[in-house]
Amino acid sequence: MVKIEPFEVEQWMDRLETTPGVLNIAETCAASVSVDDLVRMCEDKDAPGPLSLSKKLTYGAIRGSENLRQRVAALYDRASDAEPLPAENVIITQGAITANFLTFYTLVGPGDHVICVYPTYQQLYSVPESLGAEVSLWKLKKENGYIPDVAELEGLVKDNTKLIVINNPNNPMGSTIPTTTLAQIVSFAQQRSITILSDEVYSPLYHSLPANQPAPPSILTFGYAQTIATGSMSKAFALAGIRTGWIATRDPRIADAVAAARDYTTISVSQLDDQVAGYALSPAVVQPLLARNMALARANLALLSAFVEKYAAVCAWTKPTAGTTALVQFRDLKEGGAPVDDARLVMDVLEKTKVLVMPASPCFGLGKDFKGFVRMGYVCETEVLVEGLERLGRYIEEYLMGEGRN
């Protein structure tokens, strides 16, 4: 039997997000939209609708429709002088989670070594480990703004290193790997013929970068063939319910190998999902959709930032520059300012306020890493965030700063 660690963040979410009356500020997707919302956003009122209801629902194009693959490929041409990505190098999958899994399943196994940034989505290091690979964690540090230190790669790499895994923007930190650092990672990997997998599921939500820092391009734009990017309609594009993601690569051999492995799993994606995703990524829809989500992220991050500042006596963080998630550490003044037990805090907050956040120690930490931290998803509907933060503020005042019982 394959040994795989419990996927903590997904199990916590599965258990708690359906709690009656829950106010969910743990959700990591930009506030979801409907098909009707997409139609209203469309800037070409003469464009065909998102669904052809007369189309026969066969398996469809096994790697994804040509229309959708072309529109995904076009995403990687933004702000880049690189050669256009061929649509043939894109494979449509059931979400980015399937894209990542298939990449690992295809490329790594016993005897291989993988380097993975940490913290990140647990799948990115637990799956290769379950497949028999040795995994070294490339730990991101607060003093470096949770940006990878490329100098550390020399001490992590081995003769059998097969894959370097990065996540940009980062989940859960909301940090951004800048262009110069990406170029250094690519150079390091290229010199050693190591493949790079970049989980870019939160791209292009680079909404709060410093004024002099441009949004970084995809890993696919640096001229190195052995690069893979995975993405999804769930996070930046607010369409988690259609379960549509992709693998994109500069190496057609990798695309072919992944496609061959996928024959043993899902074969193809739903034609209905494919059509909706293609419509959402059409030129007349994708720009207003992303503009909506970028504006929501900026406005809501300002609200969360004001909350952390108001409760600075018990709250600390590294402010995100991108994505939809943030880690906030809570301290208990009644316990001398010690970090709280974040798992216990999450359950107590849920019981007393019906507000849901995620504990970082079990979901993103190994050992004692991230004690007292919780992950918040702040690009929900603004009214949900406002109400959630108001309730959480009252809890802080009573139980972490006041005389209430914890």
Side-chain angles (χ1 to χ4, degrees):
M1 178 181 291
V2 174
K3 183 181 184 298
I4 189 163
E5 295 298 324
F7 202 158
E8 292 290 352
V9 70
E10 296 299 339
Q11 294 195 6
W12 275 82
M13 290 291 288
D14 288 348
R15 287 196 304 268
L16 301 180
E17 65 183 342
T18 55
T19 302
V22 69
L23 201 61
N24 189 349
I25 57 173
E27 178 56 65
T28 60
C29 303
S32 297
V33 295
S34 67
V35 174
D36 283 346
D37 291 332
L38 293 177
V39 173
R40 282 191 289 269
M41 289 180 195
C42 183
E43 296 176 331
D44 180 0
K45 299 310 175 185
D46 295 323
L51 288 173
S52 173
L53 299 181
S54 63
K55 188 173 183 178
K56 300 289 187 181
L57 295 179
T58 64
Y59 281 105
I62 300 304
R63 295 194 183 192
S65 70
E66 183 68 15
N67 177 59
L68 177 55
R69 293 166 75 197
Q70 286 179 352
R71 287 176 175 174
V72 169
L75 294 174
Y76 295 100
D77 297 332
R78 62 181 173 83
S80 170
D81 295 327
E83 287 292 318
L85 180 71
E88 292 73 21
N89 289 18
V90 175
I91 299 172
I92 306 302
T93 63
Q94 276 82 359
I97 196 166
T98 302
N100 290 331
F101 187 93
L102 281 171
T103 300
F104 292 128
Y105 183 74
T106 303
L107 297 183
V108 303
D112 293 328
H113 176 245
V114 174
I115 299 170
C116 182
V117 295
Y118 169 86
T120 190
Y121 196 50
Q122 183 185 334
Q123 181 198 31
L124 298 181
Y125 50 86
S126 285
V127 169
E129 194 171 49
S130 76
L131 295 170
E134 179 190 2
V135 177
S136 296
L137 298 178
W138 188 7
K139 295 189 176 182
L140 308 180
K141 297 179 176 62
K142 179 180 180 181
E143 58 267 25
N144 202 35
Y146 296 102
I147 296 169
D149 183 351
V150 180
E152 295 176 353
L153 276 177
E154 196 63 60
L156 294 171
V157 74
K158 300 185 179 184
D159 291 341
N160 61 337
T161 301
K162 190 74 171 290
L163 201 61
I164 294 173
V165 183
I166 60 176
N167 178 203
N168 200 30
N170 180 268
N171 170 23
M173 303 308 308
S175 55
T176 297
I177 306 176
T179 304
T180 52
T181 304
L182 289 173
Q184 292 170 348
I185 295 170
V186 169
S187 176
F188 182 93
Q190 190 168 14
Q191 291 169 22
R192 296 161 179 81
S193 297
I194 299 170
T195 301
I196 302 171
L197 167 62
S198 181
D199 181 327
E200 299 175 2
V201 72
Y202 291 93
S203 178
L205 288 185
Y206 297 102
H207 48 74
S208 301
L209 295 168
N212 61 345
Q213 182 178 336
S218 169
I219 199 69
L220 301 182
T221 63
F222 289 85
Y224 179 40
Q226 288 176 232
T227 50
I228 304 164
T230 57
S232 166
M233 298 303 297
S234 298
K235 309 301 183 180
F237 299 98
L239 287 166
I242 64 172
R243 305 306 306 128
T244 304
W246 55 83
I247 298 164
T249 178
R250 285 289 176 185
D251 190 337
R253 296 171 300 174
I254 293 176
D256 289 344
V258 170
R262 207 265 292 273
D263 287 342
Y264 286 95
T265 57
T266 56
I267 303 178
S268 64
V269 299
S270 158
Q271 283 202 59
L272 299 178
D273 294 344
D274 187 301
Q275 288 183 60
V276 174
Y279 181 81
L281 295 182
S282 64
V285 178
V286 69
Q287 292 307 318
L289 176 59
L290 284 175
R292 174 256 193 192
N293 294 344
M294 291 282 275
L296 188 62
R298 291 186 178 114
N300 286 7
L301 183 58
L303 295 173
L304 182 55
S305 183
F307 172 89
V308 173
E309 184 176 348
K310 178 179 180 180
Y311 294 106
V314 296
C315 292
W317 71 341
T318 298
K319 188 175 179 180
T321 57
T324 68
T325 62
L327 282 195
V328 180
Q329 187 179 46
F330 288 83
R331 298 181 178 273
D332 191 339
L333 295 186
K334 302 192 307 300
E335 298 294 333
V340 300
D341 180 326
D342 44 288
R344 184 181 301 172
L345 175 77
V346 165
M347 297 306 298
D348 200 47
V349 167
L350 182 61
E351 177 185 348
K352 291 182 169 66
T353 71
K354 297 296 184 184
V355 171
L356 178 63
V357 292
M358 283 292 104
S361 288
C363 295
F364 295 96
L366 301 174
K368 296 182 179 179
D369 295 338
F370 307 111
K371 183 179 181 182
F373 283 88
V374 302
R375 187 187 72 175
M376 296 185 184
Y378 57 87
V379 194
C380 51
E381 299 288 355
T382 299
E383 55 269 27
V384 172
L385 183 65
V386 168
E387 177 62 24
L389 293 179
E390 286 180 357
R391 295 186 193 180
L392 188 55
R394 291 195 293 268
Y395 177 94
I396 288 173
E397 291 166 6
E398 181 172 0
Y399 294 100
L400 302 183
M401 300 175 72
E403 298 300 323
R405 295 187 300 277
N406 204 339

